[in-house]
């Protein structure tokens, strides 16, 4: 049977292009996911290993080696280093130790990590780029990238101090290569002569490890070290080879990247399921077309099993071809990306493409298995063909698909059970329950797809067609083979459902967060000048400048102060933090009018007051209490009231500006606005806060997540659209006779193309529409389950984005119909009728 | 035919009490009404009758392509009615050859592979001498590497005949084998089939409605309304035409 299968693939290669493409993309996704994982590890190994690059052995405290019987564990010390250097077979040894310090240049101050460097001891693992090693106590090395930032070069003098040591001048005698170890990269590194460093950091400074180069047998030196540390009662010190240590460090750091891999794997799985549907469809059509041929083989003595295996052999060959191509595509893509990274981000030069044999073999195996398993359903159908089918002169190609009763019952159970769980989870705000509900109900709905997809396609088709013949035929053709239409539409429906679910969920999450955050802050934006003493004139000027920024509606100043509560019942004096404002100005920026104080009043949050509290004595004055339901961080009084109070920090309180922004601004505009405020006020970013700022931040995070997830799901949608084109072009082949008959009877080429286009749009559009409906439902319920614990839900459906999804699906379906349409219309009426 | 005088097993193909109907209740069609028939070895028999007479159904049942409702079918001494699908498949593979009206060659493989298909399905090697004998007899030597679409209708049908003969089956069934051929190439194929009966001892049973085709047979069986109604030995075009005309009354 192998030669028949091979001959079939060779002859009908074109029919398999789309399915090979689909399988290749699905497999490539999986392979890329695994390659991301291995490459992350290799990159980390490359960068983490930077510290031990030329080392043989590393001694370090291993906290998993718990000291037995409550023995006190001892730390490494610099004196251990001296001992280690005297051991047999140790050629060089140095400590890896980073002690923080501050460097001051002529212009600025920097936080640095200092480390011991000894010219005789392998330079402490450092690599000189320029100059020489520090030999005297007042000489240092600086890492090359930070030297540039600090504007320091060899020969310059810098001042270095730490919390415990006074500033001292040092001469820069060389530049060391900056480290790619992610644990220390980002800090400026300063290499000091070892003795000087020990004085600077203190004799008791605990090094993180001792690194040894052996002159003799490494195993012997390793044993020597182990014995030494045991003798020293340093039981929790582990001695590993440098390679072993790096592997250990990578394992500790890659937990996060494994989670990323898991998430990516889920998306790869979705893409593969969609690919499987495309495969099922392709083989169904191919087998329908070959009914006569397969029946002939049965007549000539092919057993049922032989028919099935001939179909499966074809699937196997296609699976092998497509999976290998897919993995090659993924490897090429990853290599290209890393190359780009090397070119455009020089600091990531240690990024490495790593491919594990397993990571390459698994996607190929999964791709092949998926293709063969997906083809086994159509193959079973082929097996059931009666030999007699070969003798019927012209077999009509219409295949009846009866949805299996079992599948319907199972699908119904899954849908109902899942929906109940989903509803309950959403109602109670229990995400895990809702998640399981979604996990059950969606496959359940897909199992039931054959019940509602063909009828929706037909119904909408009839509605849209009106009186055009081509339209009516398209509607009929689209449901001519309900099983095939269902599978094609389902592939697209999965992608669209997930995309729209994410969009609706994300939008609702944004709206809900906006709402709940807005309630937490009394004003849109607060600029707190923590670092300056209160200066009313200057702050007033700043408020004016800020109000000139585009997008700012109002601004006013405030002053922070602390007054003591005179509570006769309490022995201790409790300080109350207050914000003093100008009531006229504050009224214009306050988000809730109930928080605006009058003179002689203090606005307090009702939740924190004893019920029935009418007045409160603060800083020697009795003030009327105004309760507010809004959540406030501080209690509010007017400037005039504040003047009458005795405050704790009369001389040290700070001032600031309260800002109201245009409510129509979106998160990107707010981000920009905050940048402008930061610049205008000349403050650090953390001093600018408020509901709007928080919202903008959350919105941006959600938007980034949405974009990434949508892009990942787009792969599944792309494969599904290839499926639409595939189904259509196979249908055209199948209907050659019929289409030429229509042409012979007077259907214009244009009408024929329009008919196919309408068929594609119908399947694509209805699938997208159903997907959107499902996606909106899942998105809202999912958001409810996730967020209802955070307070009131604000449901928000991104109509525009959903409309774009629908339009993209329809346009893509239209594009998918171009090639099949062209092929169908090329056929001359006579040719088609002659072809058998 | 003298089915009473010989036990059924002495014939290449025989059937007793063969009954078959299609449809249910009001749409019920009785295609075969208790047909008794036997085909002697090394004979070329044609089955004729007006459309709807049951001749095709009879052939499909005899070839194990369709199952009869009741009766007994023996081929080479084995009862088809008691066989399961795999056994029937093995039967078709080893004991039965087919020649169809529409040639029914696998379009993707060449003539030689088509001829060898039943053997390769069985995973068997072919007998080189026999292969050469068949190929020479059918004049296909130069056409073995051609794909079906590169062959004329007559050549395609000769490939189909070669495929049927190669396994040396107990019987070859022909279903209107010349229906798609012009009269000259049709005559060529029919002579080849007759030669295979005479020289290779091949039993052939052919369904046709063409008196000219039937005239190549040794015996013509006539059917009407699901029953055998007569037979003609050593038929001529004239005798067959006359017999058919009398059936149509």
């Amino acid at each position: 049977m192998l030669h028949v299968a091979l001959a079939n693939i060779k002859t009908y290669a074109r029919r398999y292009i789309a399915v090979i493409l689909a399988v290749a993309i699905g497999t490539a996704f999986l392979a890329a996911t695994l390659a991301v994982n291995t490459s992350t590890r290799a990159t980390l190994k490359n960068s983490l290993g930077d510290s031990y690059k030329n080392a043989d052995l590393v001694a370090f405290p291993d906290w998993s080696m718990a000291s037995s019987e409550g023995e006190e564990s001892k730390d490494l010390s610099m004196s251990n280093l001296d001992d280690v250097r005297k051991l047999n077979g140790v050629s060089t040894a140095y400590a890896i130790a980073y002690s923080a310090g501050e460097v001051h240049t002529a212009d600025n101050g920097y936080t640095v990590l200092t480390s011991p460097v000894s010219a005789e001891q392998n330079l402490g693992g450092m690599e000189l780029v320029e100059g020489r090693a520090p030999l005297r106590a007042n000489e240092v090395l600086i890492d090359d990238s930070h030297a540039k930032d600090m504007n320091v070069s060899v020969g310059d003098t810098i001042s270095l101090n730490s919390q415990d040591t006074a500033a001292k001048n040092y001469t820069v005698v060389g530049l060391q290569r900056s480290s790619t170890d992610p644990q220390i990269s980002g800090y400026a590194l300063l290499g000091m002569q070892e003795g000087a460093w020990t004085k600077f950091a203190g004799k008791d400074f605990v090094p993180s490890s001792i690194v040894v180069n052996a002159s003799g047998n490494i195993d012997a030196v390793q044993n020597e070290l182990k014995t030494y540390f045991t003798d020293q009662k340093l039981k929790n010190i582990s001695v590993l080879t440098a390679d072993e240590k790096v592997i250990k460090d990578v394992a500790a750091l890659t937990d996060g990247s494994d989670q990323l891999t898991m998430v990516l794997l889920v998306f790869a799985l979705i893409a593969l399921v969609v690919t499987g549907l495309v495969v099922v469809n392709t083989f169904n059509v191919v087998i329908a077309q070959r009914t006569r041929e397969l029946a002939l083989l049965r007549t000539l003595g092919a057993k049922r099993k032989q028919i099935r295996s001939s179909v499966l052999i074809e699937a196997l060959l296609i699976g092998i071809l497509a999976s290998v191509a897919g993995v090659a595509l993924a490897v090429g893509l990853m290599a290209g990306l890393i190359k780009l990274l090397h070119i455009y981000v020089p600091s990531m030069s240690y990024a490495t493409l790593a491919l594990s044999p397993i990571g390459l073999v698994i996607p190929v195996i999964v791709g092949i298995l998926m293709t063969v398993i997906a083809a086994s359903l159509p193959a079973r159908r082929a097996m059931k063909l009666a030999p007699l089918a070969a003798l019927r002169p012209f077999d009509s190609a219409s295949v009846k698909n009866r949805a299996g009763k079992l599948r319907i019952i199972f699908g119904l159970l899954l849908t109902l059970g899942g929906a109940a769980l989903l509803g309950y989870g959403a109602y109670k705000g229990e995400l895990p329950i809702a998640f399981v509900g979604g996990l059950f109900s969606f496959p359940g709905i897909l199992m039931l797809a054959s019940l509602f997809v063909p009828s929706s396609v037909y119904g909408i088709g009839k509605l849209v067609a009106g009186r055009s013949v081509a339209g009516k035929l398209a509607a009929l053709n689209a449901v001519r083979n309900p099983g095939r239409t269902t599978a094609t539409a389902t592939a697209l429906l999965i992608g669209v459902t997930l995309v729209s679910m994410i969009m609706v969920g994300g939008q609702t999450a944004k709206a809900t967060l906006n709402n709940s955050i807005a309630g937490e802050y009394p004003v849109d934006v607060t600029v707190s000048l923590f670092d300056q003493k209160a200066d009313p004139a200057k702050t007033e000027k700043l408020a004016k400048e800020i109000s000139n920024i585009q997008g700012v509606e109002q601004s006013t100043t405030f002053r922070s102060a602390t007054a003591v509560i005179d509570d006769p019942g309490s022995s201790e004096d409790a300080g109350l933090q207050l914000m003093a404002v100008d009531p006229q100005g504050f009224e214009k920026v306050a988000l809730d009018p109930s928080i605006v104080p009058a003179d002689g009043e203090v606005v307090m949050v009702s939740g924190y007051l004893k019920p029935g509290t009418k007045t409160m004595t603060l800083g020697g004055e009795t003030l009327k209490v105004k309760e507010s339901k809004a959540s406030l961080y501080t209690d509010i009084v007017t400037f005039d009231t504040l003047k009458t109070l005795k405050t704790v920090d009369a001389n040290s309180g700070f001032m600031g500006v309260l800002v109201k922004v245009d409510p129509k601004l979106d998160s990107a505009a707010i981000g920009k606005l905050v940048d402008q405020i930061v610049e205008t006020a000349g403050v650090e970013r953390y001093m600018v806060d408020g509901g709007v700022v928080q919202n903008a931040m959350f919105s941006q995070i959600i938007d980034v997540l949405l974009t990434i997830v949508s892009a990942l799901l787009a792969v599944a949608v792309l494969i599904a659209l290839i499926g639409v084109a595939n189904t259509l072009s196979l249908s055209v082949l199948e209907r050659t006779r019929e289409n030429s008959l229509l042409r012979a009877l007077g259907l214009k080429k244009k009408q024929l193309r329009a008919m196919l286009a309408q068929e594609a749009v119908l399947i694509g559009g209805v699938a997208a529409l159903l997907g959107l409906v499902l996606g909106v439902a899942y998105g809202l319920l999912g958001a409810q389950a996730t967020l209802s614990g955070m307070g009131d839900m604000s449901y928000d459906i991104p109509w525009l984005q959903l409309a774009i999804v629908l339009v993209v699906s329809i346009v893509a379906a239209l594009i998918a119909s171009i090639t099949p349409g062209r092929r169908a219309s090329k056929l001359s009426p006579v040719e088609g009728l002659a072809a058998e | 035919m003298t089915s009473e005088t010989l036990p059924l097993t002495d014939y290449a193909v025989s059937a007793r009490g063969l009954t078959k109907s299609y449809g249910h209740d009001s749409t019920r069609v009785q295609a075969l009404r208790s047909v008794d028939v036997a085909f002697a070895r090394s004979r070329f028999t044609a089955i004729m009758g007006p459309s709807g007479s049951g001749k095709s159904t009879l052939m499909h049942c005899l070839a194990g392509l369709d199952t009869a409702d009741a009766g007994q079918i023996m081929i080479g001494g084995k009862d088809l009615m008691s066989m399961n699908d795999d056994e029937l498949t093995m039967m078709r593979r080893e004991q039965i050859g087919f020649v169809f009206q529409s040639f029914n060659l696998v379009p993707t493989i060449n003539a030689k592979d088509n001829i060898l298909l039943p053997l390769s399905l069985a995973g068997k090697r072919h007998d080189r001498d026999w292969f050469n004998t068949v190929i020479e007899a059918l004049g296909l030597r130069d056409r073995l590497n051609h794909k079906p679409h590169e062959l004329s209708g007559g050549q395609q049908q000769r490939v189909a005949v070669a495929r049927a003969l190669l396994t040396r089956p107990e019987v070859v069934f022909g279903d209107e084998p010349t229906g798609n051929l012009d009269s000259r190439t049709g005559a060529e194929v029919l002579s080849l089939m007759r030669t295979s009966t005479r020289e290779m001892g091949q039993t052939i049973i052919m369904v046709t409605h063409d008196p000219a085709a039937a005239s190549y047979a040794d015996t013509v069986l006539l059917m009407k309304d699901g029953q055998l109604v007569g037979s003609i030995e050593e038929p001529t075009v004239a005798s067959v035409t006359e017999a058919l005309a009398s059936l149509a009354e």
Side-chain angles (χ1 to χ4, degrees):
Chain A
M1 288 311 283
L2 185 65
H3 71 284
V4 178
L6 274 171
N8 275 330
I9 291 187
K10 242 168 76 185
T11 314
Y12 301 127
R14 284 180 69 180
R15 296 182 191 179
Y16 287 122
I17 290 174
V19 78
I20 287 175
L21 196 62
V23 173
I25 294 175
T27 315
F29 198 159
L30 181 61
T33 299
L34 296 177
V36 164
N37 187 28
T38 48
S39 297
T40 309
R41 279 169 185 273
T43 302
L44 266 178
K45 194 169 164 188
N46 208 354
S47 56
L48 278 176
D50 204 39
S51 298
Y52 316 118
K53 208 155 68 185
N54 301 314
D56 290 328
L57 294 163
V58 183
F60 63 99
D62 184 351
W63 303 114
S64 61
M65 288 171 47
S67 48
S68 52
E69 292 132 37
E71 261 182 89
E72 212 180 315
S73 53
K74 269 169 66 183
D75 289 325
L76 277 177
S77 71
M78 289 305 277
S79 66
N80 292 135
L81 180 61
D82 296 333
D83 294 343
V84 165
R85 281 176 179 159
K86 286 175 202 137
L87 292 177
N88 273 340
V90 173
S91 79
T92 55
Y94 58 87
I96 292 193
Y98 295 103
S99 170
E102 275 174 44
V103 161
H104 291 274
T105 61
D107 319 314
N108 229 325
Y110 303 90
T111 303
V112 296
L113 291 179
T114 64
S115 61
V117 171
S118 165
E120 301 85 49
Q121 305 290 342
N122 223 352
L123 273 183
M126 298 302 165
E127 208 177 292
L128 266 183
V129 178
E130 198 189 323
R132 58 170 174 83
L135 298 173
R136 279 183 281 269
N138 64 345
E139 294 177 342
V140 291
L141 297 176
I142 292 189
D143 79 89
D144 52 357
S145 71
H146 284 91
K148 223 181 273 164
D149 293 346
M150 296 181 184
N151 203 12
V152 169
S153 45
V154 175
D156 287 356
T157 301
I158 54 163
S159 149
L160 171 71
N161 67 285
S162 73
Q163 285 194 317
D164 307 318
T165 58
K168 230 176 109 182
N169 280 345
Y170 292 84
T171 310
V172 178
V173 292
L175 300 184
Q176 66 189 52
R177 194 172 61 77
S178 52
S179 175
T180 55
D181 186 338
Q183 293 160 319
I184 50 170
S185 70
Y187 291 100
L189 296 181
L190 209 70
M192 302 171 73
Q193 192 252 348
E194 198 174 284
W197 180 84
T198 313
K199 261 185 216 146
F200 176 80
K203 257 171 74 180
D204 300 329
F205 193 89
V206 180
S208 56
S209 58
I210 290 177
V211 178
V212 173
N213 273 78
S215 56
N217 182 311
I218 292 180
D219 289 343
V221 179
Q222 188 171 11
N223 284 331
E224 188 99 1
L225 281 166
K226 278 181 180 164
T227 318
Y228 164 75
F229 285 114
T230 315
D231 291 348
Q232 293 290 312
K233 301 230 157 40
L234 284 156
K235 288 200 173 161
N236 60 329
I237 300 300
S238 195
V239 183
L240 294 180
T241 64
D243 283 344
E244 288 167 348
K245 170 74 167 128
V246 172
I247 289 167
K248 208 175 150 74
D249 286 356
V250 170
L253 268 174
T254 42
D255 277 359
S257 85
D258 283 350
Q259 276 164 16
L260 174 71
T261 306
M262 290 306 295
V263 171
L264 284 174
L265 277 179
V266 169
F267 288 106
L269 190 72
I270 293 169
L272 284 172
V273 167
V274 171
T275 309
L277 285 168
V278 174
V279 174
V280 169
N281 250 1
T282 305
F283 275 91
N284 266 334
V285 177
V286 163
I287 283 161
Q289 284 168 336
R290 250 192 253 153
T291 302
R292 283 172 64 78
E293 210 175 301
L294 293 171
L296 172 67
L297 290 173
R298 288 278 288 134
T299 310
L300 295 178
K303 289 188 181 180
R304 291 190 166 167
K305 273 187 196 156
Q306 283 177 307
I307 297 292
R308 188 179 58 184
S309 47
S310 91
V311 175
L312 291 182
I313 287 170
E314 279 188 57
L316 183 72
L317 292 174
I318 286 167
I320 292 171
L321 189 69
S323 305
V324 170
V327 170
L329 180 74
V331 170
L333 218 66
M334 288 293 294
L337 279 178
I338 288 182
K339 191 107 207 171
L340 283 179
L341 200 64
H342 286 180
I343 295 172
Y344 292 104
V345 192
S347 64
M348 289 290 284
S349 62
Y350 55 88
T352 319
L353 173 68
L355 305 162
S356 68
I358 292 176
L360 294 178
V361 170
I362 285 182
V364 171
I365 290 176
V366 168
I368 292 171
L369 276 183
M370 189 270 307
T371 312
V372 173
I373 290 171
S376 68
L377 258 109
R380 253 191 22 213
R381 198 168 297 163
M383 189 174 81
K384 285 185 186 147
L385 275 173
L388 207 52
L391 298 179
R392 295 190 191 112
F394 296 111
D395 192 48
S396 66
S398 70
V399 186
K400 275 202 183 117
N401 302 77
R402 271 167 300 158
K405 256 189 199 149
L406 206 70
R407 197 179 71 198
I408 300 278
I409 292 171
F410 195 56
L412 215 58
L413 282 177
L414 276 180
T415 307
L416 293 178
L421 281 177
L422 184 59
Y424 178 80
Y427 176 67
K428 289 277 180 189
E430 297 274 2
L431 181 61
I433 293 176
F435 184 73
V436 170
L439 221 53
F440 282 141
S441 59
F442 191 45
I445 290 172
L446 295 183
M447 282 182 180
L448 299 178
S450 63
L451 294 184
F452 61 86
V453 169
S455 48
S456 314
V457 170
Y458 183 64
I460 292 179
K462 249 174 73 178
L463 214 69
V464 178
R467 293 171 61 193
S468 100
V469 180
K472 276 182 199 158
L473 282 172
L476 284 169
N477 277 335
V479 292
R480 167 109 140 241
N481 189 330
R484 195 186 303 164
T485 304
T486 306
T488 309
T490 303
L492 190 55
L493 186 143
I494 292 175
V496 171
T497 300
L498 295 173
V499 168
S500 51
M501 173 183 87
I502 297 289
M503 283 177 170
V504 170
Q507 187 72 17
T508 298
K510 267 202 272 186
T512 302
L513 285 174
N514 275 0
N515 226 8
S516 65
I517 289 169
E520 306 259 314
Y521 290 87
V523 295
D524 284 342
V525 179
T526 310
V527 184
S528 307
L529 305 172
F530 299 122
D531 55 343
Q532 295 164 29
K533 263 174 84 178
D535 182 344
K538 200 176 151 193
T539 313
E540 218 33 82
K541 198 174 145 241
L542 179 63
K544 238 184 226 113
E545 280 168 16
I546 287 175
S547 66
N548 287 335
I549 298 173
Q550 184 144 30
V552 171
E553 289 197 335
Q554 294 290 339
S555 69
T556 184
T557 61
F558 74 92
R559 184 184 177 122
S560 155
T562 310
V564 176
I565 304 174
D566 301 325
D567 186 352
S570 161
S571 58
E572 269 178 75
D573 292 341
L576 189 68
Q577 208 188 350
L578 293 170
M579 178 168 86
V581 294
D582 163 35
Q584 277 86 41
F586 189 60
E587 201 172 3
K588 287 178 193 148
V589 300
L591 295 176
D592 182 340
S594 76
I595 61 172
V596 181
D599 286 341
E601 250 182 10
V602 58
V603 179
M604 303 187 88
V605 183
S606 53
Y608 295 99
L609 285 172
K610 264 185 248 153
T613 312
K614 287 271 182 306
T615 59
M616 175 166 280
T617 311
L618 258 183
E621 286 290 323
T622 300
L623 301 177
K624 240 170 72 188
V625 169
K626 182 178 181 184
E627 279 191 34
S628 168
K629 292 228 159 53
S631 54
L632 300 171
Y633 292 123
T634 59
D635 301 311
I636 306 170
V637 295
T638 62
F639 279 136
D640 290 340
T641 312
L642 183 65
K643 278 180 198 148
T644 65
L645 304 181
K646 272 203 285 293
T647 57
V648 178
D649 47 4
N651 294 320
S652 64
F654 64 91
M655 288 192 69
V657 182
L658 303 173
V659 182
K660 182 171 170 53
V661 302
D662 184 346
K664 289 192 289 288
L665 292 186
D666 62 11
S667 58
I670 286 168
K672 247 193 231 155
L673 185 70
V674 170
D675 285 343
Q676 279 175 297
I677 292 175
V678 166
E679 202 179 311
T680 309
V683 294
E684 296 285 328
R685 209 184 162 92
Y686 71 90
M687 300 179 188
V688 179
D689 196 12
V692 174
V693 183
Q694 295 278 338
N695 275 342
M697 202 178 72
F698 278 120
S699 293
Q700 266 165 5
I701 292 171
I702 290 172
D703 283 344
V704 168
L705 285 177
L706 281 183
T707 311
I708 292 171
V709 170
S710 303
L712 292 175
L713 287 171
V715 177
V717 174
L718 177 71
I719 293 172
L721 286 169
I722 293 174
V724 173
N726 192 27
T727 305
L728 212 59
S729 62
L730 294 174
S731 299
V732 164
L733 280 175
E734 195 175 85
R735 287 188 221 139
T736 302
R737 290 179 61 75
E738 184 182 322
N739 286 338
S740 12
L741 178 67
L742 287 171
R743 293 272 291 118
L745 293 178
L747 194 77
K748 287 184 199 156
K749 281 188 178 187
K750 227 179 174 177
Q751 285 176 303
L752 185 60
R753 277 201 297 264
M755 189 177 88
L756 287 165
Q758 285 186 50
E759 191 179 336
V761 166
L762 257 181
I763 297 177
V766 170
L769 210 60
L770 291 172
L772 287 177
V773 171
L774 280 174
V776 168
Y778 276 112
L780 290 178
L781 289 169
Q784 161 94 26
T786 316
L787 301 168
S788 63
M790 294 187 59
D792 292 339
M793 293 291 300
S794 333
Y795 298 102
D796 197 356
I797 293 172
W799 295 111
L800 181 69
Q801 290 177 41
L802 295 183
I804 290 173
V805 170
L806 184 63
V807 169
V808 166
S809 303
I810 288 175
V811 170
L814 210 56
I815 293 170
S817 79
I818 290 177
T819 319
R822 206 173 274 165
R823 189 182 305 166
S825 61
K826 252 196 224 150
L827 209 68
S828 92
V830 185
E831 244 179 289
L833 287 178
E836 203 262 350
Chain B
M1 302 300 289
T2 50
S3 52
E4 287 80 19
T5 53
L6 278 169
L8 282 174
T9 48
D10 284 358
Y11 294 94
V13 181
S14 57
R16 206 176 253 169
L18 213 54
T19 305
K20 170 88 183 170
S21 57
Y22 294 109
H24 298 281
D25 303 329
S26 61
T27 59
R28 195 178 187 82
V29 176
Q30 192 77 31
L32 296 177
R33 299 167 193 264
S34 188
V35 174
D36 294 333
V37 67
F39 301 87
R41 285 210 171 79
S42 305
R43 299 274 289 180
F44 185 178
T45 310
I47 304 174
M48 297 198 74
S51 25
S53 62
K55 56 185 193 296
S56 289
T57 308
L58 176 62
M59 195 198 77
H60 292 160
C61 288
L62 292 176
L65 292 171
D66 206 348
T67 43
D69 298 339
Q72 193 187 22
I73 302 166
M74 304 292 286
I75 292 183
K78 288 180 191 142
D79 186 0
L80 257 57
M81 296 292 281
S82 62
M83 290 182 178
N84 66 21
D85 186 79
D86 270 357
E87 288 166 335
L88 274 176
T89 304
M90 296 306 289
M91 194 74 199
R92 284 200 300 271
R93 190 188 276 176
E94 286 159 10
Q95 305 289 353
I96 303 174
F98 291 97
V99 180
F100 303 98
Q101 178 179 3
S102 49
F103 321 142
N104 275 357
L105 302 177
V106 176
T108 48
I109 57 181
N110 65 23
K112 187 182 179 188
D113 286 340
N114 260 295
I115 295 170
L116 294 176
L117 196 56
L119 285 173
S120 54
L121 285 171
K124 283 184 183 157
R125 294 178 153 273
H126 62 279
D127 176 344
R128 199 171 287 273
D129 291 340
W130 179 243
F131 179 79
N132 285 328
T133 309
V134 170
I135 295 307
E136 291 304 336
L138 293 169
L140 288 169
R141 176 62 65 200
D142 307 335
R143 299 280 174 260
L144 289 179
N145 289 323
H146 290 65
K147 292 263 180 79
H149 65 88
E150 296 162 337
L151 298 173
S152 72
Q155 287 165 340
Q156 287 193 49
Q157 198 60 309
R158 278 189 276 150
V159 170
V161 172
R163 180 175 68 191
L165 294 177
L166 195 68
T167 54
R168 287 194 246 215
E170 187 73 28
V171 56
V172 170
F173 287 101
D175 185 4
E176 302 273 11
T178 55
N180 275 359
L181 300 176
D182 59 68
S183 54
R184 199 179 59 78
T185 43
E188 208 177 283
V189 169
L190 286 163
S191 336
L192 283 167
M193 288 171 76
R194 187 162 62 184
T195 311
S196 69
T197 331
R198 301 271 156 84
E199 292 173 10
M200 304 172 186
Q202 181 63 57
T203 312
I204 298 178
I205 301 170
M206 169 178 79
V207 167
T208 184
H209 63 264
D210 175 9
S215 69
Y216 284 83
D218 299 322
T219 308
V220 171
L221 298 183
L222 296 167
M223 278 192 85
K224 193 184 178 185
D225 298 332
Q227 282 171 313
L228 282 178
V229 291
S231 68
I232 307 167
E233 297 293 330
E234 303 301 328
T236 61
V237 179
S239 65
V240 174
T241 313
E242 193 186 332
L244 282 177
S246 66
L247 279 184
E249 281 169 13

